[in-house]
Amino acid sequence: MSASAPVRVQHLIGGEWTGSPAGERRNPARGDEIVAEIPSGGPSDVDAALQAAQEAFPGWRRTPAPARGAILMRAAELLAARRDEAARDLCAEEGKTLTEATGEVQRAIDILRFFAGEGWRIAGESLPASLPSTHLYTVKEPLGVVALITPWNFPIAIPTWKLAPALVSGNTVVMKPATLVPVSVQNLALALLEAGLPPGVLNIVHGRGSVVGDALVNDPRVAAISFTGSVQTGLGIHAAGSARLARVQLEMGGKNALVVLDDADPEFAASVAAQGGFGLTGQACTATSRVIATRGVHDRFVEALAREAEAWRPGDGQAAGTRMGPVVDRSQLETDLSYIDVGKQEGAELVTGGDCDDLFLCPAVFTGVKPAMRIAREEIFGPVIGVLAVDSLDEAIVLANDSEFGLSGGIVTNDMRAAMRYADEAEVGVVKINRATTGVDLNAPFGGVKSSSSGTYREQGNVAVDFYTRLKTVYLGT
Ligand code: NAP
């Protein structure tokens, strides 16, 4: 397959595309293919973007919410018409398979459609007033200029699930996409502009997180910051934003456990674990990275999971039949390989995988994992699953909850009572019974607990609008 010319990525400031190439992004599956040329913004670009967003706010706020939604709907249709091209761009910049990339672009289209509809529904409530001839009601107002800071692993879905509720609520936006994946956000912006989004309502500044992200987070013009990424970065953003009373939403890492009980079919349980752990090359915040299996099924499960791992051979995501793409870059590969070494040194047994050719890493399965081991506690963000053996459901729940993280968790069993007890007691934001820990519906609230999230607001579903609005209470005497 021949490579196309690199995409020229630019900042979007006040409706103008600006900035000269300062760096490039290469296809992780084909190191000689330059996917994009990217500018590297600085504080002056952030300043200009914030000014444009501030100037655009009064007009956008006055635009009726259904009319704002209509622009999102048009953008959805434009993106749908270019879905395959956008999926190829996403595949080339991030490395996931074309099937996964197409699903992700479709997700972005569906999110735009969903929040277009919310434009008809964003509502306050009417309340009984204590005084006669008085109307008492609430309205949901936009916050002003919001900053959206996004990670590399879902290059179009995460920007869209922040942007759509922010825009339909009447906010203007400055977005800082992850440096590794600049093209998908540009494709999203092109669709929105062509759909009629006024200049300055959406601004994008590319560049290093420590420069562009930091400037955004610390600017008093930013009323709210929605961030998805690592705990380390998130904590810094929380401290800076909260210190000046900006509203802050953080969604961060996970160490997601899948419990497998004795009654489970080991083949089915292994397919659920592999989908969660090796799908998206394990580079999902909701990826299965621990399996906690009761002893009656443990050995049969591990055999089945090893067979699964061997079937998930990595390859070029654009090639037909590839099930798992490469690791996103060398730095993430080094992290994955270092955890595989740590697991061996800590005394866990590597059953299969862990070898790599360039960025193509074979999925790894460890057994004999103990709860105190680093591979049982720290987020790896790669295709590595550690299996822990336990005696009972009680012990499985204690171990599943023995984590600083709490994003998603799953259980494989046909015992409804055990499944519902797990659903009740799991300290996570999302519980999956007989389904992979990854993959969520766009109409359902999504977010974590403990160190996985700031825990204050959920993303996705109609509740996503709550972060981007505040309630005003109005008394009207007649
Ligand atoms: P990251 O390194 O924390 O980066 C996330 C974003 O923050 C990037 O745009 C990054 O810019 C920017 N950034 C870096 N330093 C910053 C600073 N000082 N101030 C402001 N912004 C800054 O995370 P990542 O490696 O891209 O993503 C992987 C992590 O995201 C994993 O922990 C994963 O679990 C988590 N994640 C969570 C969810 C969820 O919904 N819970 C979903 C997906 C991913 P640069 O790209 O320029 O560094």
Side-chain angles (χ1 to χ4, degrees), residues 372-398:
M373 291 179 177
R374 285 181 60 202
I375 59 165
R377 307 204 74 79
E378 297 173 16
E379 183 181 48
I380 300 172
F381 220 55
V384 182
I385 295 180
V387 185
L388 298 89
V390 289
D391 290 318
S392 63
L393 173 62
D394 289 347
E395 198 187 341
I397 291 175
V398 169

Side-chain angles (χ1 to χ4, degrees), residues 69-70 72-73 111-122 168:
L72 298 190
M73 187 62 89
I111 291 169
L112 288 168
R113 289 179 176 145
F114 179 89
F115 285 101
E118 286 308 295
W120 292 100
R121 286 186 286 267
I122 297 171
V168 83

